[in-house]
Amino acid sequence: MPREVTDPDGITWTCIQAFSGLGKDPEKEEAARVDGKADAFQVVCTPSGGAQSVRLELPGDWERTASDEDLLDRIRTRLDQDR
């Protein structure tokens, strides 16, 4: 299920686990898992307005436990790294 967060600039980021649209079988979930990390998954966050998407590595329970501020901090950090 996607999760939306809005940054101070008014940009809404929609975050969803990579490959989540492919189904719930174990093979698809394994495709999103970060290599070598038992409880880390690839999450793609796409901004409103068509700017660059970012890919984050987050724990498996990120949808419930990560705060909006934590997600925004991780997005900002990734954007800074990609520049």
Side-chain angles (χ1 to χ4, degrees), residues 32-37 39-45 54-60 62 70-71 74-75 78 81:
R33 191 177 305 276
V34 175
D35 288 338
K37 297 183 181 176
D39 190 39
F41 293 87
Q42 298 289 329
V43 174
V44 177
C45 296
V54 296
R55 187 175 290 255
L56 307 173
E57 293 180 4
L58 298 173
W62 69 274
D70 182 44
L71 285 174
R74 289 172 182 257
I75 290 168
R78 175 57 66 190
Q81 290 172 348

Side-chain angles (χ1 to χ4, degrees), residues 49-67:
Q52 180 180 344
S53 294
V54 296
R55 187 175 290 255
L56 307 173
E57 293 180 4
L58 298 173
D61 59 353
W62 69 274
E63 291 171 301
R64 291 184 325 273
T65 61
S67 69

Side-chain angles (χ1 to χ4, degrees), residues 2-72:
R3 173 135 171 233
E4 291 186 348
V5 292
T6 303
D7 69 18
D9 296 325
I11 297 171
T12 298
W13 292 84
T14 302
C15 300
I16 190 164
Q17 187 169 304
F19 305 109
S20 67
L22 297 177
K24 288 288 188 188
D25 67 56
E27 242 179 62
K28 306 305 188 268
E29 188 167 310
E30 195 59 36
R33 191 177 305 276
V34 175
D35 288 338
K37 297 183 181 176
D39 190 39
F41 293 87
Q42 298 289 329
V43 174
V44 177
C45 296
T46 305
S48 58
Q52 180 180 344
S53 294
V54 296
R55 187 175 290 255
L56 307 173
E57 293 180 4
L58 298 173
D61 59 353
W62 69 274
E63 291 171 301
R64 291 184 325 273
T65 61
S67 69
D68 288 356
E69 190 57 41
D70 182 44
L71 285 174
L72 291 170

